Amino acid sequence: MDPIILYYGKGQLTGFLADPNAVLDVVPVDVVVNATLAAIAKHGAIGKAGNNIYQIASSVVNPLVIQDLNSFMYHHFKSAPLVDSKGRAIEVSSTVKLFSSMEDLSSHLSGEVARRRSEWVAAMTSSPDEKLFRKFENIWRKSMEQAMHLASIYQPYTFYGGRFDISNTKRLMECLSKEEREEFGFEVENIDWKDYISNVHIPGLRKHVMKGRGMHS
């Protein structure tokens, strides 16, 4: 979901292919690591070969719904927008319109390109610079192509209705002492998605993926 978040924050994504009520089975990597360490400790101590399956998933006990992610992205970038090359805050749409078919998404994105073209021309105080116009139009079209590419990649997940059972993982958690749970806990049901997405995940993307680009100097 990270490319979607970043394209949205850059003001380049106003529509996407997804079921608004679909669930994204997201789990922070530190939670996965803690569960992995617990499984290694348990079965390593037993020293007996066997097939033990532990699923670290949030879709049953603490689902992150796509329309909620939409809201969390907006509130983050509304309060802490990225900036363009001239240091101006980038405005984001209040919501990403969600479509059920590639055809509808393509139509929406084509309309967005046409709208931006008209707005750019209308903002010119003199005759439009043809070279500059072509440059911006190329950027708009590449953004559209990238959005369509991301939609084709994510489609199996943004319409997926499956859920993953974590009963074995809960039993694994019960093997930990109180002190171990506090230090190496992996209860996904305790994650506050609004706080995590807005105050942990997106700031992490901006710092470690964007390397601080698009931020006020």
Side-chain angles (χ1 to χ4, degrees), residues 5-32:
I5 293 173
L6 294 179
Y7 265 83
Y8 172 76
K10 293 175 183 179
Q12 298 174 350
L13 190 68
T14 59
F16 203 66
L17 187 70
D19 174 356
N21 297 310
V23 171
L24 293 173
D25 212 323
V26 178
V27 178
V29 68
D30 55 327
V31 173
V32 177

Side-chain angles (χ1 to χ4, degrees), residues 56-193:
I56 317 300
S58 61
S59 55
V60 172
V61 296
N62 189 10
L64 172 60
V65 180
I66 287 180
Q67 61 184 355
D68 291 338
L69 174 63
N70 202 338
S71 174
F72 301 156
M73 292 192 304
Y74 171 70
H75 288 295
H76 174 88
F77 287 110
K78 182 69 174 178
S79 61
L82 295 175
V83 297
D84 62 19
S85 58
K86 295 183 179 180
R88 298 171 300 194
I90 297 173
E91 292 187 13
V92 294
S93 57
S94 59
T95 183
V96 175
K97 295 181 180 179
L98 301 177
F99 299 92
S100 59
S101 73
M102 292 290 279
E103 292 75 16
D104 289 344
L105 175 61
S106 178
S107 178
H108 166 77
L109 294 175
S110 295
E112 281 293 294
V113 171
R115 179 184 63 80
R116 294 189 182 195
R117 182 191 300 116
S118 298
E119 290 179 349
W120 190 87
V121 171
M124 293 293 98
T125 56
S126 58
S127 298
D129 182 320
E130 185 69 20
K131 185 177 181 180
L132 187 60
F133 175 77
R134 294 300 177 193
K135 175 184 176 181
F136 278 104
E137 185 167 45
N138 188 47
I139 291 174
W140 300 329
R141 290 201 173 279
K142 283 187 176 180
S143 295
M144 174 183 170
E145 292 170 1
Q146 183 64 22
M148 293 297 292
H149 176 64
L150 288 175
S152 67
I153 292 174
Y154 282 97
Q155 185 175 11
Y157 309 102
T158 54
F159 289 92
Y160 186 63
R163 301 291 184 269
F164 296 90
D165 178 67
I166 61 168
S167 299
N168 287 350
T169 308
K170 285 189 172 185
R171 284 190 284 271
L172 178 64
M173 174 67 75
E174 293 169 359
C175 296
L176 302 182
S177 66
K178 180 180 178 181
E179 292 75 17
E180 289 172 332
R181 289 189 186 190
E182 291 176 353
E183 190 167 359
F184 301 107
F186 43 89
E187 301 105 323
V188 292
E189 54 263 53
N190 292 340
I191 300 171
D192 179 337
W193 288 120

Side-chain angles (χ1 to χ4, degrees), residues 34-47 172 175-176 180 184:
N34 285 350
T36 303
L37 291 174
I40 292 172
K42 176 181 178 180
H43 298 288
I46 295 174
L172 178 64
C175 296
L176 302 182
E180 289 172 332
F184 301 107

